[in-house]
Coordinates of all heavy atoms in Angstrom, one line a residue:
M56 N 0.8 -1.2 0.0 CA 0.0 0.0 0.0 C 0.9 1.3 0.0 O 1.9 1.2 0.7 CB -0.8 0.0 1.2 CG -2.2 0.4 1.1 SD -3.2 0.3 2.6 CE -4.2 1.7 2.3
L57 N 0.4 2.3 -0.8 CA 1.2 3.5 -0.7 C 0.6 4.5 0.2 O -0.5 4.6 0.4 CB 1.2 4.1 -2.2 CG 1.9 3.3 -3.3 CD1 1.7 4.0 -4.6 CD2 3.4 3.0 -2.9
F58 N 1.6 5.3 0.8 CA 1.2 6.4 1.7 C 2.0 7.6 1.4 O 3.3 7.6 1.0 CB 1.5 6.0 3.2 CG 0.7 4.9 3.7 CD1 1.0 3.6 3.5 CD2 -0.5 5.1 4.3 CE1 0.2 2.5 3.9 CE2 -1.3 4.1 4.8 CZ -1.0 2.8 4.5
A59 N 1.3 8.8 1.4 CA 2.0 10.1 1.1 C 2.1 10.8 2.4 O 1.2 10.8 3.3 CB 1.1 10.9 0.2
F60 N 3.3 11.3 2.6 CA 3.5 12.1 3.9 C 3.5 13.6 3.3 O 4.3 14.0 2.5 CB 4.9 11.9 4.5 CG 5.3 10.5 4.8 CD1 6.6 10.0 5.0 CD2 4.2 9.5 5.0 CE1 6.8 8.7 5.3 CE2 4.5 8.2 5.3 CZ 5.8 7.8 5.4
I61 N 2.6 14.4 3.9 CA 2.5 15.8 3.6 C 3.1 16.5 4.8 O 2.5 16.6 5.9 CB 1.1 16.3 3.3 CG1 0.3 15.4 2.4 CG2 1.0 17.7 2.9 CD1 0.9 15.3 1.0
C62 N 4.3 17.0 4.7 CA 5.1 17.6 5.8 C 5.1 19.1 5.6 O 5.6 19.5 4.6 CB 6.5 17.0 5.9 SG 6.5 15.2 5.8
R63 N 4.9 19.9 6.6 CA 4.9 21.3 6.6 C 6.0 21.7 7.6 O 5.8 21.4 8.7 CB 3.6 22.0 6.9 CG 2.5 21.5 5.9 CD 1.4 22.4 5.8 NE 0.3 21.9 4.9 CZ 0.4 22.0 3.5 NH1 1.3 22.6 3.0 NH2 -0.6 21.5 2.9
D64 N 7.0 22.5 7.2 CA 8.0 22.9 8.1 C 7.4 24.0 9.0 O 6.6 24.8 8.6 CB 9.2 23.6 7.3 CG 9.9 22.7 6.4 OD1 9.5 21.4 6.4 OD2 10.9 23.1 5.7
K65 N 8.1 24.1 10.2 CA 7.8 25.2 11.1 C 8.4 26.5 10.5 O 9.4 26.4 9.7 CB 8.5 25.0 12.5 CG 7.9 23.8 13.2 CD 8.6 23.6 14.5 CE 8.1 22.4 15.3 NZ 9.0 22.0 16.4
P66 N 7.7 27.6 10.7 CA 8.3 28.9 10.2 C 9.6 29.2 10.8 O 9.9 28.7 11.9 CB 7.3 29.9 10.7 CG 6.1 29.2 11.0 CD 6.5 27.8 11.4
D67 N 10.5 29.7 10.0 CA 11.9 30.1 10.4 C 12.7 29.0 10.8 O 13.6 29.1 11.7 CB 11.8 31.2 11.5 CG 11.1 32.4 11.1 OD1 11.2 32.9 9.9 OD2 10.2 32.9 11.8
H68 N 12.5 27.8 10.2 CA 13.4 26.6 10.5 C 14.2 26.2 9.3 O 14.6 24.9 9.3 CB 12.4 25.5 11.0 CG 12.1 25.6 12.5 ND1 11.5 26.6 13.1 CD2 12.4 24.7 13.5 CE1 11.4 26.3 14.4 NE2 12.0 25.2 14.6
L69 N 14.4 27.0 8.4 CA 15.2 26.7 7.2 C 16.6 26.2 7.6 O 17.1 25.2 7.1 CB 15.4 27.8 6.3 CG 16.1 27.5 4.9 CD1 15.5 26.4 4.2 CD2 16.2 28.8 4.2
Q70 N 17.2 26.8 8.6 CA 18.5 26.3 9.1 C 18.5 24.8 9.7 O 19.4 24.1 9.4 CB 19.2 27.3 10.1 CG 20.7 27.0 10.3 CD 21.5 27.1 9.1 OE1 21.4 28.1 8.4 NE2 22.3 26.1 8.8
V71 N 17.4 24.5 10.3 CA 17.3 23.1 10.9 C 17.3 22.2 9.6 O 17.9 21.1 9.7 CB 16.0 23.0 11.6 CG1 15.7 21.5 12.1 CG2 16.1 23.8 12.9
R72 N 16.5 22.5 8.6 CA 16.4 21.8 7.4 C 17.8 21.6 6.8 O 18.2 20.5 6.4 CB 15.4 22.4 6.4 CG 15.3 21.6 5.1 CD 14.4 22.3 4.1 NE 13.0 21.8 4.4 CZ 12.5 20.8 3.8 NH1 13.1 20.0 3.1 NH2 11.3 20.4 4.1
M73 N 18.5 22.6 6.6 CA 19.8 22.6 6.1 C 20.8 21.8 6.8 O 21.6 21.0 6.3 CB 20.4 24.0 5.7 CG 19.4 24.8 4.8 SD 18.8 24.0 3.3 CE 20.3 23.8 2.5
D74 N 20.8 22.1 8.2 CA 21.7 21.2 9.0 C 21.4 19.8 9.0 O 22.4 18.9 9.2 CB 21.7 21.8 10.5 CG 22.2 23.2 10.6 OD1 22.9 23.7 9.7 OD2 21.9 23.9 11.6
T75 N 20.2 19.4 8.9 CA 19.8 18.0 9.0 C 19.8 17.3 7.6 O 19.6 16.1 7.6 CB 18.4 17.9 9.7 OG1 18.4 18.7 10.8 CG2 18.1 16.5 10.1
R76 N 19.8 18.0 6.6 CA 19.7 17.4 5.3 C 20.5 16.2 4.9 O 20.0 15.2 4.3 CB 19.9 18.6 4.2 CG 19.5 18.1 2.7 CD 19.6 19.2 1.7 NE 19.0 18.7 0.5 CZ 19.6 17.9 -0.4 NH1 20.9 17.6 -0.2 NH2 19.1 17.6 -1.5
P77 N 21.8 16.2 5.2 CA 22.7 15.0 5.0 C 22.1 13.7 5.6 O 21.9 12.7 4.9 CB 24.0 15.3 5.5 CG 24.1 16.8 5.5 CD 22.7 17.3 5.8
E78 N 21.7 13.8 6.9 CA 21.0 12.6 7.4 C 19.7 12.3 6.8 O 19.4 11.1 6.7 CB 20.8 12.9 9.0 CG 22.1 13.0 9.8 CD 22.4 14.6 10.0 OE1 22.8 15.2 9.0 OE2 22.2 15.0 11.1
H79 N 18.9 13.2 6.5 CA 17.6 13.1 5.8 C 17.8 12.4 4.5 O 17.2 11.4 4.2 CB 16.9 14.4 5.6 CG 15.7 14.3 4.7 ND1 14.5 13.8 5.1 CD2 15.5 14.8 3.4 CE1 13.7 13.9 4.1 NE2 14.2 14.5 3.1
V80 N 18.8 12.8 3.7 CA 19.1 12.2 2.4 C 19.6 10.7 2.6 O 19.2 9.8 1.8 CB 20.2 13.0 1.6 CG1 20.7 12.3 0.4 CG2 19.6 14.4 1.2
D81 N 20.4 10.5 3.6 CA 20.9 9.1 3.9 C 19.7 8.2 4.3 O 19.6 7.1 3.8 CB 21.8 9.1 5.0 CG 23.2 9.6 4.7 OD1 23.5 9.8 3.5 OD2 23.9 9.9 5.7
H82 N 18.7 8.8 5.0 CA 17.5 8.0 5.4 C 16.7 7.7 4.1 O 16.3 6.6 4.0 CB 16.7 8.9 6.3 CG 15.3 8.4 6.6 ND1 15.1 7.3 7.5 CD2 14.1 8.8 6.3 CE1 13.8 7.1 7.6 NE2 13.2 8.0 6.8
L83 N 16.5 8.7 3.2 CA 15.7 8.4 1.9 C 16.4 7.5 1.1 O 15.9 6.6 0.5 CB 15.5 9.7 1.3 CG 14.6 10.8 2.0 CD1 14.4 12.0 1.1 CD2 13.2 10.1 2.3
N84 N 17.8 7.5 1.0 CA 18.6 6.6 0.2 C 18.4 5.2 0.7 O 18.3 4.3 0.0 CB 20.1 6.9 0.2 CG 20.3 8.1 -0.8 OD1 19.6 8.3 -1.8 ND2 21.3 8.9 -0.6
A85 N 18.4 5.0 2.1 CA 18.2 3.7 2.7 C 16.7 3.1 2.4 O 16.6 2.0 2.0 CB 18.4 3.8 4.2
L86 N 15.8 4.0 2.4 CA 14.4 3.6 2.0 C 14.4 3.2 0.6 O 13.6 2.3 0.2 CB 13.5 4.8 2.4 CG 13.1 5.1 3.8 CD1 12.3 6.3 3.8 CD2 12.5 3.9 4.5
N87 N 15.0 4.0 -0.2 CA 15.1 3.7 -1.7 C 15.8 2.3 -2.0 O 15.2 1.5 -2.7 CB 15.8 4.8 -2.4 CG 15.6 4.7 -3.9 OD1 14.5 4.6 -4.4 ND2 16.7 4.8 -4.6
A88 N 16.8 2.1 -1.2 CA 17.6 0.8 -1.5 C 16.7 -0.3 -1.1 O 16.8 -1.5 -1.7 CB 18.9 0.9 -0.7
A89 N 15.8 -0.1 -0.1 CA 15.0 -1.2 0.4 C 13.7 -1.4 -0.5 O 12.9 -2.3 -0.2 CB 14.6 -1.0 1.8
G90 N 13.5 -0.4 -1.5 CA 12.4 -0.5 -2.3 C 11.1 0.1 -1.7 O 10.0 0.0 -2.2
T91 N 11.3 0.8 -0.5 CA 10.2 1.4 0.2 C 9.8 2.8 -0.4 O 8.6 3.1 -0.5 CB 10.6 1.5 1.7 OG1 10.9 0.2 2.2 CG2 9.5 2.1 2.5
L92 N 10.9 3.6 -0.7 CA 10.6 5.0 -1.2 C 10.1 4.9 -2.7 O 10.8 4.3 -3.5 CB 11.9 5.8 -1.0 CG 11.8 7.2 -1.5 CD1 10.8 8.0 -0.6 CD2 13.2 7.9 -1.6
K93 N 9.1 5.7 -2.9 CA 8.6 5.7 -4.3 C 9.1 7.1 -4.9 O 9.6 7.1 -6.0 CB 7.1 5.6 -4.4 CG 6.6 4.3 -4.0 CD 7.4 3.2 -4.7 CE 7.0 1.7 -4.2 NZ 7.9 0.7 -4.7
F94 N 8.9 8.2 -4.2 CA 9.5 9.4 -4.6 C 9.4 10.4 -3.4 O 8.7 10.2 -2.5 CB 8.8 10.1 -5.9 CG 7.4 10.3 -5.7 CD1 6.9 11.5 -5.3 CD2 6.5 9.4 -6.2 CE1 5.5 11.7 -5.1 CE2 5.1 9.6 -6.2 CZ 4.7 10.8 -5.7
A95 N 10.2 11.5 -3.6 CA 10.2 12.5 -2.5 C 10.8 13.8 -3.0 O 11.5 13.8 -3.9 CB 11.0 11.9 -1.3
G96 N 10.4 14.9 -2.3 CA 11.0 16.2 -2.6 C 10.3 17.3 -1.9 O 9.4 17.1 -1.3
P97 N 11.0 18.5 -1.8 CA 10.4 19.6 -1.0 C 9.3 20.4 -1.7 O 9.3 20.4 -3.0 CB 11.7 20.4 -0.8 CG 12.5 20.2 -2.0 CD 12.3 18.8 -2.5
F98 N 8.5 20.9 -1.0 CA 7.6 21.9 -1.4 C 8.4 23.3 -1.3 O 9.2 23.4 -0.5 CB 6.4 22.1 -0.6 CG 5.4 20.9 -0.6 CD1 5.2 20.2 0.5 CD2 4.8 20.6 -1.7 CE1 4.4 19.0 0.5 CE2 3.8 19.5 -1.8 CZ 3.7 18.8 -0.7
L99 N 8.2 24.1 -2.4 CA 8.9 25.4 -2.3 C 8.0 26.6 -2.1 O 6.8 26.6 -2.7 CB 9.6 25.5 -3.7 CG 10.5 24.4 -4.0 CD1 11.2 24.6 -5.4 CD2 11.7 24.3 -3.0
G100 N 8.5 27.6 -1.4 CA 7.7 28.8 -1.3 C 7.9 29.8 -2.4 O 8.7 29.4 -3.4
E101 N 7.2 30.9 -2.5 CA 7.3 31.9 -3.5 C 8.8 32.3 -3.8 O 9.2 32.7 -4.9 CB 6.4 33.1 -3.2 CG 5.0 32.8 -3.2 CD 4.4 32.6 -4.5 OE1 4.8 33.3 -5.5 OE2 3.4 31.8 -4.6
D102 N 9.6 32.3 -2.7 CA 11.0 32.6 -2.7 C 11.9 31.6 -3.2 O 13.1 31.7 -3.3 CB 11.5 33.1 -1.4 CG 11.3 32.1 -0.3 OD1 10.9 31.0 -0.5 OD2 11.6 32.5 0.9
G103 N 11.3 30.3 -3.5 CA 12.1 29.2 -4.1 C 12.8 28.4 -2.9 O 13.4 27.4 -3.2
K104 N 12.5 28.7 -1.7 CA 13.1 28.1 -0.5 C 12.2 26.9 -0.1 O 10.9 27.1 -0.1 CB 13.4 29.1 0.6 CG 14.5 30.0 0.3 CD 14.8 30.9 1.4 CE 15.9 31.9 1.0 NZ 16.0 33.0 1.9
P105 N 12.8 25.8 0.4 CA 11.9 24.7 1.0 C 11.1 25.2 2.1 O 11.5 25.9 2.9 CB 12.9 23.7 1.3 CG 14.1 24.0 0.7 CD 14.2 25.6 0.5
L106 N 9.8 24.7 2.1 CA 8.9 24.9 3.2 C 8.1 23.7 3.7 O 7.3 23.8 4.5 CB 7.9 26.2 2.9 CG 7.1 26.0 1.7 CD1 6.0 25.1 1.7 CD2 6.6 27.5 1.4
G107 N 8.4 22.6 3.1 CA 7.8 21.3 3.5 C 8.3 20.2 2.6 O 9.3 20.4 1.8
S108 N 7.7 19.1 2.8 CA 8.1 17.9 2.0 C 6.9 17.1 1.6 O 5.9 16.9 2.3 CB 9.1 17.0 2.8 OG 10.3 17.7 3.2
L109 N 7.1 16.3 0.4 CA 6.2 15.3 0.0 C 7.1 14.1 -0.2 O 8.1 14.0 -0.8 CB 5.5 15.6 -1.3 CG 4.7 14.6 -2.0 CD1 3.6 14.2 -1.1 CD2 4.3 15.0 -3.4
V110 N 6.7 13.0 0.6 CA 7.3 11.8 0.5 C 6.3 10.7 0.3 O 5.2 10.7 1.0 CB 8.1 11.4 1.9 CG1 8.8 10.1 1.8 CG2 9.1 12.6 2.1
V111 N 6.5 9.8 -0.6 CA 5.6 8.7 -0.9 C 6.3 7.4 -0.7 O 7.4 7.1 -1.3 CB 4.9 8.8 -2.3 CG1 4.1 7.5 -2.5 CG2 4.1 10.0 -2.4
V112 N 5.8 6.5 0.2 CA 6.4 5.2 0.5 C 5.4 4.1 0.4 O 4.3 4.3 0.4 CB 7.0 5.2 1.9 CG1 8.0 6.3 2.2 CG2 5.9 5.3 3.0
E113 N 6.0 2.9 0.3 CA 5.1 1.7 0.3 C 5.3 1.1 1.7 O 6.5 1.0 2.2 CB 5.6 0.7 -0.8 CG 4.7 -0.5 -0.9 CD 4.9 -1.3 -2.1 OE1 5.9 -1.0 -2.9 OE2 4.2 -2.3 -2.3
A114 N 4.1 0.8 2.3 CA 4.2 0.2 3.7 C 3.0 -0.7 3.8 O 2.1 -0.6 3.1 CB 4.1 1.3 4.8
A115 N 3.1 -1.7 4.7 CA 2.0 -2.6 5.0 C 0.8 -2.0 5.4 O -0.3 -2.5 4.9 CB 2.5 -3.7 6.0
D116 N 0.8 -1.0 6.2 CA -0.4 -0.4 6.7 C 0.1 1.0 7.2 O 1.2 1.5 7.2 CB -1.0 -1.2 7.9 CG -0.1 -1.5 9.0 OD1 0.9 -0.7 9.3 OD2 -0.2 -2.6 9.6
K117 N -1.0 1.8 7.8 CA -0.7 3.2 8.2 C 0.2 3.3 9.3 O 1.0 4.1 9.4 CB -2.0 3.9 8.5 CG -1.9 5.4 8.7 CD -3.1 6.1 8.9 CE -2.9 7.6 9.1 NZ -4.0 8.4 9.1
S118 N 0.2 2.3 10.2 CA 1.0 2.3 11.3 C 2.5 2.1 10.9 O 3.4 2.8 11.4 CB 0.6 1.1 12.3 OG 1.5 1.0 13.4
A119 N 2.7 1.3 10.0 CA 4.1 1.1 9.4 C 4.5 2.3 8.7 O 5.7 2.8 8.9 CB 4.1 -0.1 8.5
A120 N 3.6 3.0 8.0 CA 4.0 4.2 7.3 C 4.3 5.3 8.3 O 5.3 6.1 8.2 CB 2.8 4.6 6.4
Q121 N 3.5 5.4 9.4 CA 3.7 6.4 10.4 C 5.1 6.2 11.1 O 5.8 7.2 11.3 CB 2.6 6.4 11.5 CG 2.8 7.5 12.6 CD 2.5 8.8 12.0 OE1 1.5 9.1 11.4 NE2 3.5 9.7 12.2
A122 N 5.5 5.0 11.3 CA 6.9 4.7 11.8 C 7.9 5.2 10.9 O 9.0 5.7 11.4 CB 7.0 3.2 12.1
I123 N 7.7 5.0 9.6 CA 8.7 5.5 8.6 C 8.8 7.1 8.7 O 9.9 7.6 8.8 CB 8.3 5.1 7.2 CG1 8.6 3.5 7.2 CG2 9.2 5.7 6.2 CD1 7.9 2.9 5.8
A124 N 7.7 7.7 8.8 CA 7.6 9.2 8.9 C 8.3 9.6 10.2 O 9.1 10.6 10.2 CB 6.2 9.7 8.8
D125 N 8.1 9.0 11.3 CA 8.6 9.4 12.6 C 10.2 9.1 12.6 O 10.8 9.9 13.3 CB 8.0 8.5 13.7 CG 6.5 8.8 13.9 OD1 6.1 9.9 13.4 OD2 5.8 8.0 14.6
A126 N 10.6 8.2 11.8 CA 12.1 7.9 11.8 C 12.9 8.9 10.9 O 14.1 8.9 11.0 CB 12.3 6.5 11.3
D127 N 12.2 9.7 10.2 CA 12.9 10.7 9.3 C 13.7 11.7 10.2 O 13.2 12.3 11.2 CB 11.9 11.5 8.5 CG 12.5 12.3 7.5 OD1 13.5 13.1 7.8 OD2 12.0 12.3 6.3
P128 N 15.0 11.9 9.9 CA 15.8 12.9 10.6 C 15.2 14.2 10.8 O 15.4 14.9 11.8 CB 17.1 12.9 10.0 CG 17.2 11.5 9.4 CD 15.8 11.2 8.9
Y129 N 14.5 14.7 9.7 CA 13.8 16.0 9.8 C 12.8 16.0 10.9 O 12.7 17.0 11.7 CB 13.1 16.3 8.6 CG 14.0 16.8 7.4 CD1 13.5 17.0 6.1 CD2 15.3 17.3 7.6 CE1 14.3 17.5 5.0 CE2 16.1 17.8 6.6 CZ 15.6 17.9 5.4 OH 16.3 18.4 4.3
A130 N 12.0 14.9 11.0 CA 11.0 14.8 12.1 C 11.7 14.8 13.5 O 11.2 15.5 14.4 CB 10.1 13.6 11.8
K131 N 12.7 14.0 13.5 CA 13.4 13.9 14.8 C 14.1 15.3 15.3 O 14.2 15.5 16.5 CB 14.5 12.8 14.8 CG 13.9 11.4 14.7 CD 15.0 10.4 14.6 CE 14.5 9.0 14.7 NZ 15.6 8.1 14.7
A132 N 14.5 16.1 14.3 CA 15.1 17.4 14.6 C 14.0 18.5 14.9 O 14.4 19.5 15.3 CB 15.9 17.8 13.4
G133 N 12.7 18.1 14.8 CA 11.8 19.1 15.1 C 11.4 20.1 14.0 O 10.9 21.1 14.2
L134 N 11.8 19.7 12.8 CA 11.6 20.6 11.6 C 10.1 20.8 11.3 O 9.7 21.9 11.0 CB 12.3 20.1 10.4 CG 12.0 20.8 9.1 CD1 12.5 22.2 9.1 CD2 12.7 20.1 7.9
F135 N 9.3 19.8 11.4 CA 8.0 19.9 10.9 C 7.0 20.4 11.9 O 6.9 20.0 13.0 CB 7.5 18.4 10.5 CG 8.3 17.8 9.4 CD1 8.8 16.6 9.4 CD2 8.7 18.6 8.2 CE1 9.5 16.0 8.4 CE2 9.4 18.0 7.2 CZ 9.8 16.7 7.3
Q136 N 6.1 21.3 11.4 CA 5.0 21.8 12.1 C 3.8 20.8 12.1 O 3.2 20.6 13.1 CB 4.5 23.1 11.4 CG 3.3 23.7 12.1 CD 3.0 25.1 11.5 OE1 3.9 25.9 11.2 NE2 1.7 25.4 11.3
S137 N 3.8 20.1 11.0 CA 2.7 19.0 10.9 C 3.2 17.9 9.9 O 3.9 18.3 8.9 CB 1.4 19.6 10.5 OG 1.4 20.2 9.1
V138 N 2.7 16.7 10.1 CA 2.9 15.7 9.1 C 1.6 14.9 9.0 O 1.1 14.4 10.1 CB 4.1 14.7 9.6 CG1 4.2 13.5 8.6 CG2 5.3 15.4 9.8
E139 N 1.1 14.9 7.8 CA -0.1 14.0 7.5 C 0.4 12.7 6.8 O 1.2 12.8 5.9 CB -1.1 14.7 6.6 CG -2.0 15.7 7.3 CD -3.0 16.2 6.3 OE1 -2.7 17.2 5.6 OE2 -4.1 15.7 6.3
V140 N -0.1 11.6 7.2 CA 0.2 10.3 6.6 C -1.1 9.8 6.0 O -2.0 9.5 6.8 CB 0.8 9.3 7.6 CG1 1.0 8.0 6.9 CG2 2.1 9.8 8.2
L141 N -1.2 9.9 4.7 CA -2.5 9.5 4.1 C -2.2 8.4 3.0 O -1.3 8.3 2.3 CB -3.0 10.7 3.3 CG -3.2 12.0 4.0 CD1 -3.4 13.2 3.1 CD2 -4.4 11.8 5.0
P142 N -3.2 7.4 3.0 CA -3.2 6.4 1.9 C -3.3 7.1 0.6 O -3.9 8.1 0.5 CB -4.3 5.5 2.2 CG -4.8 5.9 3.6 CD -4.3 7.2 3.9
W143 N -2.5 6.6 -0.4 CA -2.5 7.2 -1.6 C -2.5 6.2 -2.8 O -1.9 5.1 -2.7 CB -1.1 8.1 -1.8 CG -1.0 8.9 -2.9 CD1 -1.8 10.1 -3.2 CD2 -0.2 8.8 -4.1 NE1 -1.4 10.6 -4.3 CE2 -0.4 9.9 -4.9 CE3 0.8 7.9 -4.3 CZ2 0.2 10.1 -6.1 CZ3 1.5 8.0 -5.5 CH2 1.3 9.1 -6.3
N144 N -3.2 6.6 -3.9 CA -3.3 5.7 -5.0 C -2.6 6.3 -6.2 O -3.1 7.4 -6.7 CB -4.9 5.4 -5.3 CG -5.0 4.5 -6.4 OD1 -4.2 3.6 -6.8 ND2 -6.2 4.5 -7.0
W145 N -1.6 5.8 -6.6 CA -0.8 6.3 -7.8 C -1.5 5.8 -9.1 O -1.3 4.7 -9.6 CB 0.6 5.8 -7.7 CG 1.6 6.4 -8.6 CD1 1.4 7.3 -9.7 CD2 3.0 6.3 -8.5 NE1 2.5 7.7 -10.2 CE2 3.6 7.2 -9.5 CE3 3.9 5.7 -7.6 CZ2 4.9 7.3 -9.7 CZ3 5.2 5.8 -7.8 CH2 5.7 6.7 -8.8
V146 N -2.3 6.7 -9.7 CA -3.1 6.3 -10.8 C -2.3 6.6 -12.2 O -2.1 5.8 -13.1 CB -4.5 7.0 -10.9 CG1 -5.2 6.7 -12.1 CG2 -5.2 6.6 -9.6
F147 N -1.9 7.9 -12.4 CA -1.4 8.3 -13.7 C 0.2 8.3 -13.5 O 0.8 8.7 -12.6 CB -1.8 9.7 -14.0 CG -3.2 9.8 -14.4 CD1 -4.2 10.2 -13.4 CD2 -3.7 9.4 -15.6 CE1 -5.5 10.1 -13.7 CE2 -5.1 9.4 -15.9 CZ -6.0 9.8 -14.9
N148 N 0.9 7.9 -14.7 CA 2.3 7.8 -14.8 C 3.0 7.0 -13.7 O 4.1 7.3 -13.4 CB 2.8 9.3 -14.8 CG 2.4 10.1 -15.9 OD1 2.2 9.6 -17.0 ND2 2.1 11.4 -15.7
N149 N 2.3 6.0 -13.3 CA 2.9 5.0 -12.3 C 3.8 4.1 -13.1 O 3.3 3.3 -14.0 CB 1.8 4.3 -11.6 CG 2.3 3.3 -10.5 OD1 3.5 3.0 -10.6 ND2 1.6 2.9 -9.7
P150 N 5.1 4.1 -12.9 CA 6.0 3.2 -13.7 C 5.7 1.8 -13.5 O 5.9 1.0 -14.4 CB 7.4 3.5 -13.1 CG 7.2 4.5 -12.0 CD 5.8 4.9 -11.9
A151 N 5.1 1.4 -12.4 CA 4.7 0.0 -12.1 C 3.5 -0.5 -13.1 O 3.4 -1.7 -13.4 CB 4.3 -0.3 -10.7
S152 N 2.8 0.5 -13.6 CA 1.6 0.2 -14.5 C 2.1 0.1 -16.0 O 1.3 -0.2 -16.8 CB 0.6 1.2 -14.3 OG 0.1 1.3 -13.0
A153 N 3.3 0.5 -16.3 CA 3.7 0.6 -17.6 C 4.0 -0.8 -18.2 O 4.3 -1.7 -17.6 CB 5.0 1.5 -17.7

């Protein structure tokens, strides 16, 4: 099952994001190597600076997806104001459907 993480950064926490980015990238690379990560990237503000993240993972259930979200170094560093974990259906341009 796929789950989307809609993560919104706390205001004025860009430095936390930048300081934690190497560990976050390592975390995503590990998820990717395990076949868990489907895609990820930051939301950008009008100024082009990151202000949140979209991460889509495959997990057995919502509890497993929440554990993945909670393990993200950004979450552990207190970057996020909120994180929604939602079941998601990849309908268009899904490479698995090709």
Side-chain angles (χ1 to χ4, degrees):
M56 217 177 152
L57 296 178
F58 293 88
F60 307 161
I61 312 296
C62 310
R63 302 200 186 280
D64 294 2
K65 291 177 183 171
D67 301 317
H68 273 62
L69 182 58
Q70 193 60 51
V71 173
R72 176 179 277 274
M73 301 315 294
D74 291 346
T75 313
R76 189 172 189 282
E78 297 98 286
H79 170 73
V80 169
D81 288 345
H82 173 72
L83 293 181
N84 282 332
L86 292 174
N87 192 48
T91 302
L92 180 67
K93 298 306 173 189
F94 60 85
F98 292 114
L99 303 175
E101 296 285 328
D102 58 3
K104 294 179 183 173
L106 52 72
S108 299
L109 171 63
V110 178
V111 175
V112 300
E113 188 168 0
D116 55 31
K117 188 171 182 176
S118 177
Q121 186 67 57
I123 294 167
D125 292 345
D127 188 313
Y129 281 168
K131 289 181 175 183
L134 172 63
F135 299 133
Q136 179 174 318
S137 65
V138 177
E139 280 186 275
V140 177
L141 301 169
W143 188 68
N144 185 21
W145 194 345
V146 175
F147 292 98
N148 296 325
N149 181 341
S152 300

